[in-house]
Amino acid sequence: MDADVVIAGAGPTGLMLACELRLAGVDVMVVERLAERTGESRAGGIHSRTLEVLDQRGVLDRFLAEGELQPVGHFSGLYLDFDESESRHPYPLMILQSAIERLLEEWAGELGVRVRRSAGVRGLDQDADGVTVELDTAPAPETLRARYLVGCDGGRSTVRKLAGIGFPGTEATMTALIGDVELPDLPEDYVWVRRTPGGDYSAIAFEPGWFRVITSEYDRVAGRDEPVTFEQLRESLIRVAGTDFGMTSPRWISRFNDAARQADRYRQGRVLLAGDAAHIHFPAGGQGLNMGVQDAVNLGWKLASVVRGSAPESLLDSYHDERHPVGERVLNNTRAQSALARPGPQTDALREVFGELMVFDDVNRRLRHMLTALDIRYPADGDHPMAGRRVFDADLKTPEGETCVYELLHAGRPVLLDLGGGAEVTAAAAGWAGRVDQVEAQSEDELWPVPAIGEISPPAALLIRPDGHVAWAAAVGEALDVSALRDALTTWFGPARQG
């Protein structure tokens, strides 16, 4: 084998997955058709749950140092409030995708990830033992052999097509142009987004002197392979804004639309999909990059466990079972945001009503959780309110000193956190020693916030997966269900070792 896992695509999803696999000791190679990073700005932010994921791996400070926290967000241009009590990182971080990719690639290099550029996938053939991957390389094609192949190669994924995975969805109804330009005539009192009878436009300052400009025109669908030019962006801005604000000096121009599609399955044998290869949608609310990174963190530890032989191959099926519904929800809310952005008096009236509803805390909270992914709950056994949800980053006191929950996850390993469950917890997990880290601690927080539930008392014990989701939890004052704990350990981390 040339690698345990080959990942197609060196974008944020592929790089994050590669880092997750290397943390678990898996030999991984990333292949990328481009010769070098484009430097294009593309996505512009990281939401709360992704910030938590980076914090769980101990690398968040690198991203905070290059971005700017934004205390407000929006749902189709309607402002959302954020709640500081729900997370240590409640606010979106404004940071360009070009910086995110650079930081992830630097981290991947530190972990020993191999990245091959100018090597796009052109063919694949899988069998019972692995996948043969044919690469489009110069001067002649090459082949690699791996146990698994993961397509993180974007919305037009070659891996998805070669694997024969369907990509159903809805067609585009509009065209948006995006560019990084200078706007010397933009008024100083400009508000970041404006709706007009012809569409809408926005201008966001990422650095002094230049802006991210986006124009959206409905019922104008450009050809998929039609070239994108600076003049098209300038003409579109004139159509929707009546002026080009002196637009000049383009750094990057691109196009997107509101087509929404999702792979009908995220796994086909030894081939898996993540990120845009698995789902595309209107980029409303900046959810795409975040969902891809979270795909990677969900898949990484599972794939590593199967490669190492500590868990059965059936564990990989849970990746589709857990992440496909998340993708469906994002496609649904981005379709709704696209509809709310459409110009016209009927939509104006709908936005007014919708805006009035958003002043209610329950509505604001529901939409906020939808965008940040803080409320995701995977299927899990047991009726504890934390089962299946992401764990709160509580402050802890251990015999070794003070720490917090996310520090326990830096190594990307599962953690059995005993907050008062007693000797029964340790005895029940004895067969998983070496695979699951056992930590005894006391919670320094009297109440733990649980999105969509409220504040609860700290549990007596938690089994935390490497992705930060709770696989099992026991409440204080209730008899410990040792059988349920062992079932959860077996489900997620393989059978107990004898003796």
Side-chain angles (χ1 to χ4, degrees), residues 196-208:
T196 75
D200 60 69
Y201 65 96
S202 62
I204 307 171
F206 278 106
E207 291 180 6

Side-chain angles (χ1 to χ4, degrees), residues 83 90 109 177 193 246 254 400 408 429 446:
D83 188 340
L177 293 172
V193 65
S254 188
E400 290 74 32
L408 303 178
E446 295 183 0

Side-chain angles (χ1 to χ4, degrees), residues 253-321:
I253 307 289
S254 188
R255 177 193 296 118
F256 62 88
N257 57 45
D258 62 342
R261 296 185 177 278
Q262 185 177 23
D264 53 25
R265 55 193 184 281
Y266 284 11
R267 178 192 178 202
Q268 177 64 34
R270 293 180 173 271
V271 178
L272 300 106
L273 303 175
D276 289 352
H279 38 69
I280 61 168
H281 54 84
F282 187 56
Q287 299 171 84
L289 182 150
N290 290 270
M291 186 161 54
V293 169
Q294 292 164 36
D295 285 347
V297 175
N298 183 286
L299 174 59
W301 67 272
K302 297 174 182 177
L303 185 53
S305 295
V306 173
V307 167
R308 294 196 312 264
S310 60
E313 191 171 316
S314 58
L315 178 63
L316 295 178
D317 293 332
S318 70
Y319 168 60
H320 171 94
D321 294 342

Side-chain angles (χ1 to χ4, degrees), residues 362-403:
D362 287 347
V363 176
N364 198 281
R365 184 183 306 111
R366 175 79 175 196
L367 296 175
R368 178 175 70 242
H369 291 166
M370 192 179 292
L371 294 183
T372 61
L374 288 177
D375 67 341
I376 289 174
R377 187 177 193 180
Y378 298 138
D381 293 332
D383 56 4
H384 192 281
M386 292 196 68
R389 299 184 186 276
R390 117 284 189 215
V391 68
F392 170 61
D393 187 25
D395 289 316
L396 303 174
K397 188 173 184 179
T398 72
E400 290 74 32
E402 295 182 350
T403 184

Side-chain angles (χ1 to χ4, degrees), residues 205-286:
F206 278 106
E207 291 180 6
W210 66 276
F211 292 81
R212 160 74 56 81
V213 173
I214 303 175
T215 66
S216 298
E217 296 183 82
Y218 286 75
D219 302 317
R220 297 172 62 97
V221 180
R224 182 175 179 179
D225 297 313
E226 182 181 323
V228 186
T229 66
F230 172 67
E231 188 60 26
Q232 287 176 336
L233 177 62
R234 191 184 73 82
E235 291 174 354
S236 179
L237 186 57
I238 292 173
R239 282 195 298 270
V240 297
T243 176
D244 67 355
F245 300 108
M247 182 191 297
T248 187
S249 305
R251 297 186 180 186
W252 172 64
I253 307 289
S254 188
R255 177 193 296 118
F256 62 88
N257 57 45
D258 62 342
R261 296 185 177 278
Q262 185 177 23
D264 53 25
R265 55 193 184 281
Y266 284 11
R267 178 192 178 202
Q268 177 64 34
R270 293 180 173 271
V271 178
L272 300 106
L273 303 175
D276 289 352
H279 38 69
I280 61 168
H281 54 84
F282 187 56

Side-chain angles (χ1 to χ4, degrees), residues 23-362:
L23 280 172
V26 172
D27 181 27
V28 59
M29 179 184 294
V30 179
V31 295
E32 167 59 55
R33 66 177 180 82
L34 298 178
E36 57 186 14
R37 290 195 306 272
T38 65
E40 296 171 351
S41 57
R42 297 192 178 274
I46 302 177
H47 280 303
S48 295
R49 181 57 192 142
T50 306
L51 294 174
E52 290 184 345
V53 163
L54 295 170
D55 196 3
Q56 288 170 190
R57 295 299 180 260
V59 296
L60 177 59
D61 287 348
R62 309 181 188 198
F63 297 84
L64 294 177
E66 298 209 18
E68 181 179 353
L69 293 172
Q70 182 71 36
V72 295
H74 72 93
F75 187 88
S76 194
L78 300 169
Y79 283 101
L80 285 173
D81 295 323
F82 290 89
D83 188 340
E84 295 183 356
S85 70
E86 292 180 333
S87 171
R88 289 187 189 271
H89 313 292
Y91 303 131
L93 179 69
M94 303 295 288
I95 180 172
L96 297 177
Q97 180 172 330
S98 53
I100 295 170
E101 290 183 358
R102 173 173 50 79
L103 292 170
L104 285 174
E105 189 162 357
E106 289 173 359
W107 182 34
E110 295 166 12
L111 294 173
V113 173
R114 294 176 289 163
V115 179
R116 283 199 60 183
R117 293 190 173 272
S118 300
V121 174
R122 60 178 288 174
L124 66 87
D125 181 30
Q126 60 172 316
D127 53 44
D129 300 317
V131 185
T132 300
V133 184
E134 186 177 2
L135 301 179
D136 190 5
T137 52
E142 298 179 25
T143 59
L144 294 175
R145 183 72 174 164
R147 295 180 63 183
Y148 292 91
L149 168 66
V150 186
C152 302
D153 50 343
R156 302 187 184 188
S157 171
T158 300
V159 172
R160 184 186 66 239
K161 296 171 184 174
L162 291 171
I165 297 175
F167 203 46
T170 52
E171 300 291 340
T173 67
M174 51 81 72
T175 293
L177 293 172
I178 181 172
D180 296 336
V181 298
E182 293 182 12
L183 295 177
D185 299 337
L186 188 71
E188 292 185 4
D189 61 350
Y190 171 78
V191 179
W192 73 277
V193 65
R194 297 276 175 88
R195 287 169 49 78
T196 75
D200 60 69
Y201 65 96
S202 62
I204 307 171
F206 278 106
E207 291 180 6
W210 66 276
F211 292 81
R212 160 74 56 81
V213 173
I214 303 175
T215 66
S216 298
E217 296 183 82
Y218 286 75
D219 302 317
R220 297 172 62 97
V221 180
R224 182 175 179 179
D225 297 313
E226 182 181 323
V228 186
T229 66
F230 172 67
E231 188 60 26
Q232 287 176 336
L233 177 62
R234 191 184 73 82
E235 291 174 354
S236 179
L237 186 57
I238 292 173
R239 282 195 298 270
V240 297
T243 176
D244 67 355
F245 300 108
M247 182 191 297
T248 187
S249 305
R251 297 186 180 186
W252 172 64
I253 307 289
S254 188
R255 177 193 296 118
F256 62 88
N257 57 45
D258 62 342
R261 296 185 177 278
Q262 185 177 23
D264 53 25
R265 55 193 184 281
Y266 284 11
R267 178 192 178 202
Q268 177 64 34
R270 293 180 173 271
V271 178
L272 300 106
L273 303 175
D276 289 352
H279 38 69
I280 61 168
H281 54 84
F282 187 56
Q287 299 171 84
L289 182 150
N290 290 270
M291 186 161 54
V293 169
Q294 292 164 36
D295 285 347
V297 175
N298 183 286
L299 174 59
W301 67 272
K302 297 174 182 177
L303 185 53
S305 295
V306 173
V307 167
R308 294 196 312 264
S310 60
E313 191 171 316
S314 58
L315 178 63
L316 295 178
D317 293 332
S318 70
Y319 168 60
H320 171 94
D321 294 342
E322 292 182 344
R323 293 304 295 173
H324 195 273
V326 173
E328 286 182 318
R329 186 173 79 156
V330 171
L331 264 64
N332 192 50
N333 87 58
T334 54
R335 287 187 180 111
Q337 292 188 72
S338 178
L340 275 170
R342 181 174 286 273
Q346 289 84 3
T347 306
D348 291 342
L350 179 61
R351 290 177 67 86
E352 183 176 343
V353 172
F354 205 83
E356 291 172 355
L357 292 174
M358 287 175 63
V359 303
F360 295 101
D361 289 342
D362 287 347

